[in-house]
Amino acid sequence: MDLQHLANIAIEAALSAGKIIQKYMKEDIVVETKEGGSNYASEVVTKVDRECESIILSHLNPTCKAFDIGLLSEETKDDGSRFEKDFFWSIDPMDGTLAFINKQPGFSVAIALISKDGTPVIGVVFNPSTQTLYHAIQGKGAFKNLKPWWAKKTNDYLTYTTDKKLEDTPQANKIQGILNKHKANLGLKGITELSGKGAVMCAISVLDNGPACFLKLPKKDKGGGSIWDYAATVCIYNELGLPATAFNGEPIDLNKKNGAFMNDEGVYYSNLNTE
């Protein structure tokens, strides 16, 4: 399978969806709800999400037929093809819908190609707010705007990226303890918080603001992000040689048998070493 060829198609799909998002960025969009997890962010959807999915599928569906690839997309019911095919596309047409609705940066398009064993081999992220493209291909490195890219670790403080403020997060004390430990171990001067982004841009922001981390603790409530929230950025982190794991340090299961939600695993992304 020609991963470069498929990555090029995924990039075109993400850029096409990004143009749709940019068209609506200043408009007041009607917010609908769908069946989701236990939190509001997993239940909101707009016509923009659906238009983005449609344009992405117009690019990717031909590859599914030509290369026998399965499909998992946020706004379409899981058809189980990801368990039958050697590879499947994972699509988040617009991650960070809440940020988009609130007209604040933090939303993006994310597309990944994942092997049946849960290993992402292509990851594509497009940030429409800054018109920045990030992508990675297994064994070929990570790229920013199509140029080789390495994560930054230039700050003398720790950055914690999060979808919602730490003070509003369950088990905030436990997370604060983890952050304090990182700060002390690295001899950093303080901790700053970047909140309000979707999971995809939280992970990308860690790479642009190191030393930094993004994490979600395991929980019983349905939610905690889904396969499509993490697959593309896990691929990018793998190519950068940085941790993007379940909270316990094990590989994230990106082809879960019991649904797409990650609440039982949690996630942990980091860009911490200061050397």
Side-chain angles (χ1 to χ4, degrees), residues 140-178:
K140 294 189 177 182
F143 302 83
K144 183 175 182 178
N145 290 328
L146 304 179
K147 296 179 180 179
W149 180 49
W150 296 268
K152 292 181 180 179
K153 295 184 280 282
T154 56
N155 297 328
D156 59 2
Y157 54 87
L158 176 69
T159 297
Y160 166 61
T161 69
T162 174
D163 51 351
K164 55 185 174 183
K165 293 180 180 179
L166 181 57
E167 63 187 28
D168 299 326
T169 303
Q171 301 187 71
N173 288 340
K174 183 174 182 178
I175 296 173
Q176 187 66 61
I178 294 169

PDB file of all heavy atoms in Angstrom, residues 140-178:
ATOM      1  N   LYS A 140       8.332   7.947   8.040  1.00  0.00           N
ATOM      2  CA  LYS A 140       8.792   9.044   7.178  1.00  0.00           C
ATOM      3  C   LYS A 140       8.878  10.381   7.899  1.00  0.00           C
ATOM      4  O   LYS A 140       9.239  11.386   7.297  1.00  0.00           O
ATOM      5  CB  LYS A 140       7.890   9.172   5.948  1.00  0.00           C
ATOM      6  CG  LYS A 140       7.982   7.978   5.021  1.00  0.00           C
ATOM      7  CD  LYS A 140       7.259   8.224   3.707  1.00  0.00           C
ATOM      8  CE  LYS A 140       7.426   7.056   2.761  1.00  0.00           C
ATOM      9  NZ  LYS A 140       6.764   7.298   1.454  1.00  0.00           N
ATOM     10  N   GLY A 141       8.516  10.416   9.180  1.00  0.00           N
ATOM     11  CA  GLY A 141       8.645  11.647   9.943  1.00  0.00           C
ATOM     12  C   GLY A 141       7.365  12.460  10.004  1.00  0.00           C
ATOM     13  O   GLY A 141       6.322  12.078   9.469  1.00  0.00           O
ATOM     14  N   ALA A 142       7.489  13.601  10.680  1.00  0.00           N
ATOM     15  CA  ALA A 142       6.358  14.518  10.852  1.00  0.00           C
ATOM     16  C   ALA A 142       6.624  15.807  10.080  1.00  0.00           C
ATOM     17  O   ALA A 142       7.784  16.216   9.910  1.00  0.00           O
ATOM     18  CB  ALA A 142       6.156  14.829  12.329  1.00  0.00           C
ATOM     19  N   PHE A 143       5.533  16.449   9.661  1.00  0.00           N
ATOM     20  CA  PHE A 143       5.658  17.632   8.802  1.00  0.00           C
ATOM     21  C   PHE A 143       4.672  18.714   9.233  1.00  0.00           C
ATOM     22  O   PHE A 143       3.573  18.424   9.697  1.00  0.00           O
ATOM     23  CB  PHE A 143       5.386  17.249   7.342  1.00  0.00           C
ATOM     24  CG  PHE A 143       6.307  16.183   6.814  1.00  0.00           C
ATOM     25  CD1 PHE A 143       6.045  14.842   7.049  1.00  0.00           C
ATOM     26  CD2 PHE A 143       7.444  16.525   6.109  1.00  0.00           C
ATOM     27  CE1 PHE A 143       6.888  13.852   6.578  1.00  0.00           C
ATOM     28  CE2 PHE A 143       8.315  15.551   5.629  1.00  0.00           C
ATOM     29  CZ  PHE A 143       8.032  14.205   5.871  1.00  0.00           C
ATOM     30  N   LYS A 144       5.102  19.958   9.075  1.00  0.00           N
ATOM     31  CA  LYS A 144       4.255  21.112   9.323  1.00  0.00           C
ATOM     32  C   LYS A 144       4.272  21.961   8.061  1.00  0.00           C
ATOM     33  O   LYS A 144       5.336  22.381   7.605  1.00  0.00           O
ATOM     34  CB  LYS A 144       4.787  21.921  10.522  1.00  0.00           C
ATOM     35  CG  LYS A 144       3.928  23.106  10.920  1.00  0.00           C
ATOM     36  CD  LYS A 144       4.492  23.735  12.182  1.00  0.00           C
ATOM     37  CE  LYS A 144       3.659  24.897  12.673  1.00  0.00           C
ATOM     38  NZ  LYS A 144       4.198  25.479  13.930  1.00  0.00           N
ATOM     39  N   ASN A 145       3.096  22.144   7.480  1.00  0.00           N
ATOM     40  CA  ASN A 145       2.991  22.828   6.184  1.00  0.00           C
ATOM     41  C   ASN A 145       3.933  22.208   5.154  1.00  0.00           C
ATOM     42  O   ASN A 145       4.631  22.904   4.413  1.00  0.00           O
ATOM     43  CB  ASN A 145       3.235  24.325   6.338  1.00  0.00           C
ATOM     44  CG  ASN A 145       2.105  25.019   7.085  1.00  0.00           C
ATOM     45  OD1 ASN A 145       0.952  24.613   6.997  1.00  0.00           O
ATOM     46  ND2 ASN A 145       2.445  26.054   7.838  1.00  0.00           N
ATOM     47  N   LEU A 146       3.948  20.865   5.180  1.00  0.00           N
ATOM     48  CA  LEU A 146       4.670  20.022   4.218  1.00  0.00           C
ATOM     49  C   LEU A 146       6.191  20.063   4.362  1.00  0.00           C
ATOM     50  O   LEU A 146       6.910  19.482   3.552  1.00  0.00           O
ATOM     51  CB  LEU A 146       4.276  20.378   2.778  1.00  0.00           C
ATOM     52  CG  LEU A 146       2.777  20.314   2.467  1.00  0.00           C
ATOM     53  CD1 LEU A 146       2.525  20.709   1.010  1.00  0.00           C
ATOM     54  CD2 LEU A 146       2.218  18.914   2.730  1.00  0.00           C
ATOM     55  N   LYS A 147       6.695  20.714   5.417  1.00  0.00           N
ATOM     56  CA  LYS A 147       8.131  20.754   5.675  1.00  0.00           C
ATOM     57  C   LYS A 147       8.451  19.935   6.929  1.00  0.00           C
ATOM     58  O   LYS A 147       7.659  19.912   7.870  1.00  0.00           O
ATOM     59  CB  LYS A 147       8.604  22.195   5.866  1.00  0.00           C
ATOM     60  CG  LYS A 147       8.434  23.055   4.612  1.00  0.00           C
ATOM     61  CD  LYS A 147       8.904  24.482   4.862  1.00  0.00           C
ATOM     62  CE  LYS A 147       8.729  25.331   3.609  1.00  0.00           C
ATOM     63  NZ  LYS A 147       9.159  26.745   3.836  1.00  0.00           N
ATOM     64  N   PRO A 148       9.619  19.251   6.960  1.00  0.00           N
ATOM     65  CA  PRO A 148       9.976  18.470   8.144  1.00  0.00           C
ATOM     66  C   PRO A 148       9.853  19.299   9.416  1.00  0.00           C
ATOM     67  O   PRO A 148      10.213  20.487   9.431  1.00  0.00           O
ATOM     68  CB  PRO A 148      11.431  18.071   7.876  1.00  0.00           C
ATOM     69  CG  PRO A 148      11.522  18.031   6.377  1.00  0.00           C
ATOM     70  CD  PRO A 148      10.651  19.164   5.900  1.00  0.00           C
ATOM     71  N   TRP A 149       9.349  18.665  10.460  1.00  0.00           N
ATOM     72  CA  TRP A 149       8.988  19.403  11.674  1.00  0.00           C
ATOM     73  C   TRP A 149       9.465  18.674  12.917  1.00  0.00           C
ATOM     74  O   TRP A 149       9.411  17.456  12.993  1.00  0.00           O
ATOM     75  CB  TRP A 149       7.463  19.558  11.703  1.00  0.00           C
ATOM     76  CG  TRP A 149       6.907  20.293  12.868  1.00  0.00           C
ATOM     77  CD1 TRP A 149       7.306  21.482  13.367  1.00  0.00           C
ATOM     78  CD2 TRP A 149       5.788  19.893  13.670  1.00  0.00           C
ATOM     79  NE1 TRP A 149       6.518  21.860  14.424  1.00  0.00           N
ATOM     80  CE2 TRP A 149       5.583  20.898  14.626  1.00  0.00           C
ATOM     81  CE3 TRP A 149       4.946  18.785  13.661  1.00  0.00           C
ATOM     82  CZ2 TRP A 149       4.567  20.830  15.578  1.00  0.00           C
ATOM     83  CZ3 TRP A 149       3.930  18.707  14.597  1.00  0.00           C
ATOM     84  CH2 TRP A 149       3.748  19.735  15.544  1.00  0.00           C
ATOM     85  N   TRP A 150       9.948  19.446  13.892  1.00  0.00           N
ATOM     86  CA  TRP A 150      10.339  18.925  15.183  1.00  0.00           C
ATOM     87  C   TRP A 150       9.653  19.743  16.262  1.00  0.00           C
ATOM     88  O   TRP A 150       9.478  20.955  16.110  1.00  0.00           O
ATOM     89  CB  TRP A 150      11.847  18.992  15.363  1.00  0.00           C
ATOM     90  CG  TRP A 150      12.578  18.124  14.394  1.00  0.00           C
ATOM     91  CD1 TRP A 150      12.963  16.825  14.578  1.00  0.00           C
ATOM     92  CD2 TRP A 150      13.004  18.471  13.066  1.00  0.00           C
ATOM     93  NE1 TRP A 150      13.584  16.331  13.458  1.00  0.00           N
ATOM     94  CE2 TRP A 150      13.625  17.330  12.507  1.00  0.00           C
ATOM     95  CE3 TRP A 150      12.894  19.626  12.279  1.00  0.00           C
ATOM     96  CZ2 TRP A 150      14.142  17.307  11.220  1.00  0.00           C
ATOM     97  CZ3 TRP A 150      13.416  19.616  10.997  1.00  0.00           C
ATOM     98  CH2 TRP A 150      14.031  18.466  10.483  1.00  0.00           C
ATOM     99  N   ALA A 151       9.277  19.105  17.337  1.00  0.00           N
ATOM    100  CA  ALA A 151       8.567  19.794  18.414  1.00  0.00           C
ATOM    101  C   ALA A 151       9.487  20.781  19.131  1.00  0.00           C
ATOM    102  O   ALA A 151      10.702  20.581  19.221  1.00  0.00           O
ATOM    103  CB  ALA A 151       8.030  18.774  19.414  1.00  0.00           C
ATOM    104  N   LYS A 152       8.887  21.849  19.676  1.00  0.00           N
ATOM    105  CA  LYS A 152       9.644  22.869  20.402  1.00  0.00           C
ATOM    106  C   LYS A 152       9.612  22.606  21.907  1.00  0.00           C
ATOM    107  O   LYS A 152       8.596  22.186  22.457  1.00  0.00           O
ATOM    108  CB  LYS A 152       9.048  24.253  20.131  1.00  0.00           C
ATOM    109  CG  LYS A 152       9.221  24.754  18.705  1.00  0.00           C
ATOM    110  CD  LYS A 152       8.614  26.142  18.574  1.00  0.00           C
ATOM    111  CE  LYS A 152       8.764  26.687  17.153  1.00  0.00           C
ATOM    112  NZ  LYS A 152       8.149  28.036  17.027  1.00  0.00           N
ATOM    113  N   LYS A 153      10.753  22.847  22.560  1.00  0.00           N
ATOM    114  CA  LYS A 153      10.831  22.779  24.023  1.00  0.00           C
ATOM    115  C   LYS A 153      11.688  23.960  24.478  1.00  0.00           C
ATOM    116  O   LYS A 153      12.833  23.792  24.874  1.00  0.00           O
ATOM    117  CB  LYS A 153      11.431  21.453  24.477  1.00  0.00           C
ATOM    118  CG  LYS A 153      10.586  20.235  24.151  1.00  0.00           C
ATOM    119  CD  LYS A 153      11.156  18.948  24.683  1.00  0.00           C
ATOM    120  CE  LYS A 153      12.254  18.416  23.800  1.00  0.00           C
ATOM    121  NZ  LYS A 153      11.741  17.754  22.588  1.00  0.00           N
ATOM    122  N   THR A 154      11.143  25.158  24.380  1.00  0.00           N
ATOM    123  CA  THR A 154      11.944  26.361  24.610  1.00  0.00           C
ATOM    124  C   THR A 154      11.525  27.169  25.832  1.00  0.00           C
ATOM    125  O   THR A 154      12.229  28.101  26.232  1.00  0.00           O
ATOM    126  CB  THR A 154      11.871  27.279  23.376  1.00  0.00           C
ATOM    127  OG1 THR A 154      10.497  27.575  23.099  1.00  0.00           O
ATOM    128  CG2 THR A 154      12.483  26.609  22.154  1.00  0.00           C
ATOM    129  N   ASN A 155      10.387  26.857  26.445  1.00  0.00           N
ATOM    130  CA  ASN A 155       9.888  27.653  27.562  1.00  0.00           C
ATOM    131  C   ASN A 155      10.552  27.252  28.881  1.00  0.00           C
ATOM    132  O   ASN A 155      11.034  26.123  29.033  1.00  0.00           O
ATOM    133  CB  ASN A 155       8.367  27.504  27.686  1.00  0.00           C
ATOM    134  CG  ASN A 155       7.634  28.034  26.465  1.00  0.00           C
ATOM    135  OD1 ASN A 155       8.092  28.977  25.829  1.00  0.00           O
ATOM    136  ND2 ASN A 155       6.506  27.432  26.146  1.00  0.00           N
ATOM    137  N   ASP A 156      10.555  28.171  29.844  1.00  0.00           N
ATOM    138  CA  ASP A 156      11.081  27.855  31.174  1.00  0.00           C
ATOM    139  C   ASP A 156       9.947  27.581  32.157  1.00  0.00           C
ATOM    140  O   ASP A 156      10.119  27.627  33.365  1.00  0.00           O
ATOM    141  CB  ASP A 156      11.997  28.968  31.693  1.00  0.00           C
ATOM    142  CG  ASP A 156      11.299  30.320  31.795  1.00  0.00           C
ATOM    143  OD1 ASP A 156      10.092  30.386  31.493  1.00  0.00           O
ATOM    144  OD2 ASP A 156      11.977  31.305  32.171  1.00  0.00           O
ATOM    145  N   TYR A 157       8.754  27.301  31.624  1.00  0.00           N
ATOM    146  CA  TYR A 157       7.592  26.952  32.438  1.00  0.00           C
ATOM    147  C   TYR A 157       6.865  25.782  31.770  1.00  0.00           C
ATOM    148  O   TYR A 157       7.089  25.485  30.592  1.00  0.00           O
ATOM    149  CB  TYR A 157       6.648  28.152  32.575  1.00  0.00           C
ATOM    150  CG  TYR A 157       6.228  28.757  31.247  1.00  0.00           C
ATOM    151  CD1 TYR A 157       5.122  28.261  30.538  1.00  0.00           C
ATOM    152  CD2 TYR A 157       6.951  29.810  30.681  1.00  0.00           C
ATOM    153  CE1 TYR A 157       4.758  28.792  29.315  1.00  0.00           C
ATOM    154  CE2 TYR A 157       6.588  30.348  29.460  1.00  0.00           C
ATOM    155  CZ  TYR A 157       5.494  29.839  28.781  1.00  0.00           C
ATOM    156  OH  TYR A 157       5.138  30.366  27.561  1.00  0.00           O
ATOM    157  N   LEU A 158       6.016  25.110  32.503  1.00  0.00           N
ATOM    158  CA  LEU A 158       5.237  23.988  31.995  1.00  0.00           C
ATOM    159  C   LEU A 158       3.898  24.481  31.469  1.00  0.00           C
ATOM    160  O   LEU A 158       3.216  25.259  32.134  1.00  0.00           O
ATOM    161  CB  LEU A 158       5.003  22.972  33.117  1.00  0.00           C
ATOM    162  CG  LEU A 158       4.111  21.768  32.764  1.00  0.00           C
ATOM    163  CD1 LEU A 158       4.816  20.850  31.780  1.00  0.00           C
ATOM    164  CD2 LEU A 158       3.728  21.002  34.028  1.00  0.00           C
ATOM    165  N   THR A 159       3.505  24.024  30.283  1.00  0.00           N
ATOM    166  CA  THR A 159       2.193  24.349  29.728  1.00  0.00           C
ATOM    167  C   THR A 159       1.292  23.117  29.817  1.00  0.00           C
ATOM    168  O   THR A 159       1.678  22.024  29.398  1.00  0.00           O
ATOM    169  CB  THR A 159       2.310  24.804  28.266  1.00  0.00           C
ATOM    170  OG1 THR A 159       3.085  26.006  28.213  1.00  0.00           O
ATOM    171  CG2 THR A 159       0.931  25.084  27.673  1.00  0.00           C
ATOM    172  N   TYR A 160       0.123  23.325  30.375  1.00  0.00           N
ATOM    173  CA  TYR A 160      -0.896  22.273  30.459  1.00  0.00           C
ATOM    174  C   TYR A 160      -2.006  22.637  29.487  1.00  0.00           C
ATOM    175  O   TYR A 160      -2.641  23.679  29.618  1.00  0.00           O
ATOM    176  CB  TYR A 160      -1.429  22.187  31.890  1.00  0.00           C
ATOM    177  CG  TYR A 160      -2.698  21.385  32.065  1.00  0.00           C
ATOM    178  CD1 TYR A 160      -2.754  20.035  31.744  1.00  0.00           C
ATOM    179  CD2 TYR A 160      -3.851  21.983  32.576  1.00  0.00           C
ATOM    180  CE1 TYR A 160      -3.921  19.299  31.920  1.00  0.00           C
ATOM    181  CE2 TYR A 160      -5.024  21.256  32.765  1.00  0.00           C
ATOM    182  CZ  TYR A 160      -5.044  19.913  32.429  1.00  0.00           C
ATOM    183  OH  TYR A 160      -6.204  19.191  32.605  1.00  0.00           O
ATOM    184  N   THR A 161      -2.230  21.803  28.474  1.00  0.00           N
ATOM    185  CA  THR A 161      -3.291  22.074  27.505  1.00  0.00           C
ATOM    186  C   THR A 161      -4.506  21.221  27.859  1.00  0.00           C
ATOM    187  O   THR A 161      -4.385  20.061  28.256  1.00  0.00           O
ATOM    188  CB  THR A 161      -2.841  21.784  26.061  1.00  0.00           C
ATOM    189  OG1 THR A 161      -2.663  20.371  25.884  1.00  0.00           O
ATOM    190  CG2 THR A 161      -1.543  22.502  25.743  1.00  0.00           C
ATOM    191  N   THR A 162      -5.695  21.809  27.716  1.00  0.00           N
ATOM    192  CA  THR A 162      -6.901  21.134  28.177  1.00  0.00           C
ATOM    193  C   THR A 162      -8.134  21.671  27.466  1.00  0.00           C
ATOM    194  O   THR A 162      -8.170  22.839  27.077  1.00  0.00           O
ATOM    195  CB  THR A 162      -7.063  21.304  29.707  1.00  0.00           C
ATOM    196  OG1 THR A 162      -8.314  20.758  30.127  1.00  0.00           O
ATOM    197  CG2 THR A 162      -7.011  22.767  30.109  1.00  0.00           C
ATOM    198  N   ASP A 163      -9.143  20.813  27.304  1.00  0.00           N
ATOM    199  CA  ASP A 163     -10.377  21.282  26.677  1.00  0.00           C
ATOM    200  C   ASP A 163     -11.147  22.191  27.624  1.00  0.00           C
ATOM    201  O   ASP A 163     -11.676  23.214  27.216  1.00  0.00           O
ATOM    202  CB  ASP A 163     -11.245  20.111  26.212  1.00  0.00           C
ATOM    203  CG  ASP A 163     -11.488  19.070  27.291  1.00  0.00           C
ATOM    204  OD1 ASP A 163     -10.863  19.147  28.357  1.00  0.00           O
ATOM    205  OD2 ASP A 163     -12.309  18.160  27.065  1.00  0.00           O
ATOM    206  N   LYS A 164     -11.214  21.826  28.907  1.00  0.00           N
ATOM    207  CA  LYS A 164     -11.858  22.715  29.871  1.00  0.00           C
ATOM    208  C   LYS A 164     -10.909  23.022  31.021  1.00  0.00           C
ATOM    209  O   LYS A 164      -9.978  22.267  31.304  1.00  0.00           O
ATOM    210  CB  LYS A 164     -13.154  22.104  30.405  1.00  0.00           C
ATOM    211  CG  LYS A 164     -13.049  20.730  31.006  1.00  0.00           C
ATOM    212  CD  LYS A 164     -14.448  20.242  31.365  1.00  0.00           C
ATOM    213  CE  LYS A 164     -14.442  18.800  31.848  1.00  0.00           C
ATOM    214  NZ  LYS A 164     -15.808  18.321  32.119  1.00  0.00           N
ATOM    215  N   LYS A 165     -11.131  24.141  31.677  1.00  0.00           N
ATOM    216  CA  LYS A 165     -10.222  24.618  32.706  1.00  0.00           C
ATOM    217  C   LYS A 165     -10.022  23.570  33.793  1.00  0.00           C
ATOM    218  O   LYS A 165     -10.934  22.825  34.141  1.00  0.00           O
ATOM    219  CB  LYS A 165     -10.750  25.914  33.320  1.00  0.00           C
ATOM    220  CG  LYS A 165     -10.749  27.084  32.350  1.00  0.00           C
ATOM    221  CD  LYS A 165     -11.278  28.345  33.010  1.00  0.00           C
ATOM    222  CE  LYS A 165     -11.265  29.520  32.034  1.00  0.00           C
ATOM    223  NZ  LYS A 165     -11.791  30.750  32.661  1.00  0.00           N
ATOM    224  N   LEU A 166      -8.830  23.542  34.342  1.00  0.00           N
ATOM    225  CA  LEU A 166      -8.515  22.572  35.378  1.00  0.00           C
ATOM    226  C   LEU A 166      -9.487  22.670  36.546  1.00  0.00           C
ATOM    227  O   LEU A 166      -9.928  21.652  37.086  1.00  0.00           O
ATOM    228  CB  LEU A 166      -7.073  22.776  35.869  1.00  0.00           C
ATOM    229  CG  LEU A 166      -6.582  21.802  36.943  1.00  0.00           C
ATOM    230  CD1 LEU A 166      -6.703  20.358  36.477  1.00  0.00           C
ATOM    231  CD2 LEU A 166      -5.154  22.129  37.344  1.00  0.00           C
ATOM    232  N   GLU A 167      -9.859  23.876  36.911  1.00  0.00           N
ATOM    233  CA  GLU A 167     -10.755  24.054  38.063  1.00  0.00           C
ATOM    234  C   GLU A 167     -12.133  23.440  37.816  1.00  0.00           C
ATOM    235  O   GLU A 167     -12.871  23.158  38.763  1.00  0.00           O
ATOM    236  CB  GLU A 167     -10.898  25.536  38.395  1.00  0.00           C
ATOM    237  CG  GLU A 167     -11.526  26.356  37.290  1.00  0.00           C
ATOM    238  CD  GLU A 167     -11.500  27.859  37.566  1.00  0.00           C
ATOM    239  OE1 GLU A 167     -10.594  28.313  38.275  1.00  0.00           O
ATOM    240  OE2 GLU A 167     -12.395  28.554  37.052  1.00  0.00           O
ATOM    241  N   ASP A 168     -12.481  23.215  36.555  1.00  0.00           N
ATOM    242  CA  ASP A 168     -13.776  22.619  36.218  1.00  0.00           C
ATOM    243  C   ASP A 168     -13.662  21.131  35.875  1.00  0.00           C
ATOM    244  O   ASP A 168     -14.633  20.512  35.430  1.00  0.00           O
ATOM    245  CB  ASP A 168     -14.395  23.349  35.018  1.00  0.00           C
ATOM    246  CG  ASP A 168     -14.651  24.813  35.306  1.00  0.00           C
ATOM    247  OD1 ASP A 168     -14.980  25.129  36.462  1.00  0.00           O
ATOM    248  OD2 ASP A 168     -14.513  25.635  34.380  1.00  0.00           O
ATOM    249  N   THR A 169     -12.482  20.557  36.060  1.00  0.00           N
ATOM    250  CA  THR A 169     -12.216  19.177  35.676  1.00  0.00           C
ATOM    251  C   THR A 169     -12.316  18.243  36.882  1.00  0.00           C
ATOM    252  O   THR A 169     -11.764  18.548  37.941  1.00  0.00           O
ATOM    253  CB  THR A 169     -10.801  19.061  35.072  1.00  0.00           C
ATOM    254  OG1 THR A 169     -10.685  19.950  33.962  1.00  0.00           O
ATOM    255  CG2 THR A 169     -10.518  17.639  34.607  1.00  0.00           C
ATOM    256  N   PRO A 170     -13.007  17.112  36.744  1.00  0.00           N
ATOM    257  CA  PRO A 170     -13.031  16.130  37.835  1.00  0.00           C
ATOM    258  C   PRO A 170     -11.612  15.685  38.205  1.00  0.00           C
ATOM    259  O   PRO A 170     -10.749  15.595  37.333  1.00  0.00           O
ATOM    260  CB  PRO A 170     -13.847  14.967  37.249  1.00  0.00           C
ATOM    261  CG  PRO A 170     -14.702  15.600  36.200  1.00  0.00           C
ATOM    262  CD  PRO A 170     -13.864  16.693  35.613  1.00  0.00           C
ATOM    263  N   GLN A 171     -11.402  15.408  39.477  1.00  0.00           N
ATOM    264  CA  GLN A 171     -10.095  15.000  40.002  1.00  0.00           C
ATOM    265  C   GLN A 171      -9.008  16.028  39.685  1.00  0.00           C
ATOM    266  O   GLN A 171      -7.865  15.688  39.381  1.00  0.00           O
ATOM    267  CB  GLN A 171      -9.685  13.627  39.462  1.00  0.00           C
ATOM    268  CG  GLN A 171     -10.664  12.507  39.787  1.00  0.00           C
ATOM    269  CD  GLN A 171     -10.132  11.157  39.381  1.00  0.00           C
ATOM    270  OE1 GLN A 171      -9.208  10.644  39.991  1.00  0.00           O
ATOM    271  NE2 GLN A 171     -10.723  10.598  38.327  1.00  0.00           N
ATOM    272  N   ALA A 172      -9.393  17.296  39.763  1.00  0.00           N
ATOM    273  CA  ALA A 172      -8.447  18.371  39.463  1.00  0.00           C
ATOM    274  C   ALA A 172      -7.209  18.297  40.360  1.00  0.00           C
ATOM    275  O   ALA A 172      -6.094  18.593  39.914  1.00  0.00           O
ATOM    276  CB  ALA A 172      -9.129  19.722  39.617  1.00  0.00           C
ATOM    277  N   ASN A 173      -7.387  17.898  41.611  1.00  0.00           N
ATOM    278  CA  ASN A 173      -6.242  17.827  42.531  1.00  0.00           C
ATOM    279  C   ASN A 173      -5.211  16.804  42.065  1.00  0.00           C
ATOM    280  O   ASN A 173      -4.000  17.026  42.199  1.00  0.00           O
ATOM    281  CB  ASN A 173      -6.711  17.490  43.947  1.00  0.00           C
ATOM    282  CG  ASN A 173      -7.443  18.647  44.607  1.00  0.00           C
ATOM    283  OD1 ASN A 173      -7.294  19.798  44.198  1.00  0.00           O
ATOM    284  ND2 ASN A 173      -8.250  18.352  45.624  1.00  0.00           N
ATOM    285  N   LYS A 174      -5.690  15.684  41.530  1.00  0.00           N
ATOM    286  CA  LYS A 174      -4.767  14.663  41.034  1.00  0.00           C
ATOM    287  C   LYS A 174      -3.977  15.180  39.835  1.00  0.00           C
ATOM    288  O   LYS A 174      -2.758  14.982  39.743  1.00  0.00           O
ATOM    289  CB  LYS A 174      -5.534  13.393  40.652  1.00  0.00           C
ATOM    290  CG  LYS A 174      -4.630  12.258  40.192  1.00  0.00           C
ATOM    291  CD  LYS A 174      -5.415  10.980  39.962  1.00  0.00           C
ATOM    292  CE  LYS A 174      -4.483   9.840  39.536  1.00  0.00           C
ATOM    293  NZ  LYS A 174      -5.222   8.566  39.348  1.00  0.00           N
ATOM    294  N   ILE A 175      -4.674  15.862  38.932  1.00  0.00           N
ATOM    295  CA  ILE A 175      -3.988  16.436  37.765  1.00  0.00           C
ATOM    296  C   ILE A 175      -2.988  17.503  38.206  1.00  0.00           C
ATOM    297  O   ILE A 175      -1.855  17.553  37.718  1.00  0.00           O
ATOM    298  CB  ILE A 175      -5.010  17.018  36.771  1.00  0.00           C
ATOM    299  CG1 ILE A 175      -5.895  15.904  36.218  1.00  0.00           C
ATOM    300  CG2 ILE A 175      -4.309  17.767  35.635  1.00  0.00           C
ATOM    301  CD1 ILE A 175      -7.042  16.380  35.353  1.00  0.00           C
ATOM    302  N   GLN A 176      -3.400  18.347  39.153  1.00  0.00           N
ATOM    303  CA  GLN A 176      -2.497  19.387  39.654  1.00  0.00           C
ATOM    304  C   GLN A 176      -1.241  18.758  40.250  1.00  0.00           C
ATOM    305  O   GLN A 176      -0.130  19.262  40.074  1.00  0.00           O
ATOM    306  CB  GLN A 176      -3.196  20.232  40.711  1.00  0.00           C
ATOM    307  CG  GLN A 176      -2.385  21.448  41.177  1.00  0.00           C
ATOM    308  CD  GLN A 176      -2.186  22.468  40.082  1.00  0.00           C
ATOM    309  OE1 GLN A 176      -3.143  23.021  39.559  1.00  0.00           O
ATOM    310  NE2 GLN A 176      -0.929  22.725  39.704  1.00  0.00           N
ATOM    311  N   GLY A 177      -1.406  17.632  40.938  1.00  0.00           N
ATOM    312  CA  GLY A 177      -0.255  16.945  41.505  1.00  0.00           C
ATOM    313  C   GLY A 177       0.706  16.452  40.435  1.00  0.00           C
ATOM    314  O   GLY A 177       1.937  16.546  40.596  1.00  0.00           O
ATOM    315  N   ILE A 178       0.162  15.943  39.337  1.00  0.00           N
ATOM    316  CA  ILE A 178       1.006  15.488  38.218  1.00  0.00           C
ATOM    317  C   ILE A 178       1.777  16.664  37.625  1.00  0.00           C
ATOM    318  O   ILE A 178       2.979  16.574  37.354  1.00  0.00           O
ATOM    319  CB  ILE A 178       0.130  14.815  37.145  1.00  0.00           C
ATOM    320  CG1 ILE A 178      -0.475  13.519  37.689  1.00  0.00           C
ATOM    321  CG2 ILE A 178       0.935  14.543  35.872  1.00  0.00           C
ATOM    322  CD1 ILE A 178      -1.563  12.923  36.813  1.00  0.00           C
TER     323      ILE A 178
END
